[in-house]
């Protein structure tokens, strides 16, 4: 993690608008050979620019001190999408699709984009129905990074910072939690059909 912070990444020109922990998160993404994520919002990698801007606008004047700061974060997220091509397994809560960020048109465009992105070779996207019952993901979103040497880290994102766990107990628990959530989710084909229906009715 120290090495990632000290190295100049593609995001260096935006560094004044990014926390060190988020810069490190971007470095870890670039180093990982596989990521597995449980998400309760559409993840940054799969967001439209419109959705990103609407989402980040909630922090205007609180997290983002100026419009320039907000727009820089939008630019980072879009550039991140262009740079990142690591295999990524994502289980997404149905609530992220049924919820409303912006108006109906914005959500429809985001859902259509999700459906299109689900066809990518590097993306494995599954939807977890709200009807699935209790599961370990209710405690919050997380990402498991797996590196070429077999090492792993669990990333937890908060409002201002990201946190990482690497002890064996935490890794075992989060890997088991992801497996549980994935097993409860729709399979890839069912998830694509769900997104097509959601886009039609949005």
């Amino acid at each position: 993690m120290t090495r990632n912070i000290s190295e100049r990444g593609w995001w260096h020109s935006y560094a004044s608008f990014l926390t060190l922990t988020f810069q490190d998160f971007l470095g870890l993404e670039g180093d990982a050979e596989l990521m597995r994520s449980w998400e309760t919002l559409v993840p940054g990698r799969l967001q439209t620019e419109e959705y990103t801007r609407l989402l980040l606008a909630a922090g205007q004047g609180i997290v983002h001190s100026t419009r320039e700061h907000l727009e820089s974060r939008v630019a980072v997220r879009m550039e991140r999408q262009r740079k990142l091509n690591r295999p990524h397994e994502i289980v997404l809560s149905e609530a992220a699709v049924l919820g409303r960020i912006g108006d109906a048109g914005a959500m429809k465009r985001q859902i259509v984009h999700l459906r299109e992105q689900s066809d990518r070779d590097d993306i494995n996207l599954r939807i977890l129905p709200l009807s699935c019952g209790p599961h370990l993901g209710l405690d919050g979103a997380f990402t498991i990074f797996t590196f070429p040497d077999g090492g792993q880290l669990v990333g937890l994102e908060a409002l201002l910072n990201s946190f990482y766990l690497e002890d064996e107990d935490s890794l075992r628990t989060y890997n088991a939690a992801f497996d549980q959530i994935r097993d409860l989710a729709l399979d890839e084909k069912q998830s694509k059909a769900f997104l097509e229906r959601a886009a039609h009715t949005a």
Side-chain angles (χ1 to χ4, degrees):
M1 293 173 66
T2 301
R3 176 175 59 80
N4 281 318
I5 289 174
S6 64
E7 288 182 351
R8 290 170 63 96
W10 59 262
W11 58 88
H12 181 75
S13 59
Y14 302 99
S16 61
F17 299 101
L18 305 175
T19 64
L20 285 177
T21 50
F22 186 62
Q23 292 179 54
D24 195 61
F25 186 93
L26 297 174
L28 292 169
E29 278 189 330
D31 287 345
E33 67 174 10
L34 171 67
M35 292 177 290
R36 303 201 301 164
S37 300
W38 155 243
E39 301 283 358
T40 55
L41 281 173
V42 175
R45 188 173 181 181
L46 302 181
Q47 292 174 6
T48 63
E49 183 172 341
E50 179 182 30
Y51 182 99
T52 295
R53 186 170 284 107
L54 288 166
L55 193 62
L56 295 180
Q60 182 70 54
I62 302 172
V63 178
H64 313 297
S65 56
T66 65
R67 187 71 186 182
E68 180 188 12
H69 183 232
L70 186 152
E71 289 300 326
S72 292
R73 291 298 297 268
V74 173
V76 167
R77 196 161 293 184
M78 295 302 103
E79 184 66 12
R80 175 188 175 198
Q81 291 181 7
R82 289 187 285 271
K83 298 288 187 183
L84 195 60
N85 59 7
R86 297 292 190 271
H88 200 166
E89 295 182 39
I90 301 167
V91 181
L92 179 64
S93 172
E94 180 183 2
V97 179
L98 299 182
R100 182 63 62 86
I101 301 296
D103 60 21
M107 278 308 302
K108 183 181 182 70
R109 287 185 286 275
Q110 176 60 73
I111 295 168
V112 169
H113 184 68
L114 271 177
R115 173 61 186 87
E116 292 170 349
Q117 295 297 295
S118 70
D119 283 333
R120 289 172 45 174
D121 291 338
D122 58 339
I123 298 293
N124 180 317
L125 177 62
R126 299 186 183 200
I127 303 297
L128 182 69
L130 291 172
S131 60
C132 73
H135 58 86
L136 289 172
L138 293 173
D139 283 334
F142 60 87
T143 296
I144 303 169
F145 300 91
T146 300
F147 301 98
D149 63 0
Q152 288 190 322
L153 280 176
V154 175
L156 307 172
E157 291 188 69
L159 182 61
L160 295 176
N161 290 302
S162 299
F163 304 91
Y164 302 97
L165 305 172
E166 61 177 346
D167 62 280
E168 290 185 8
D169 287 344
S170 294
L171 292 174
R172 181 167 51 252
T173 298
Y174 276 95
N175 275 290
F178 184 85
D179 289 343
Q180 180 198 73
I181 295 165
R182 183 189 56 197
D183 290 345
L184 290 170
L186 304 176
D187 64 26
E188 285 188 271
K189 183 177 180 180
Q190 292 168 332
S191 296
K192 290 175 181 179
F194 170 87
L195 290 171
E196 288 169 0
R197 292 193 300 271
H200 182 72
T201 58

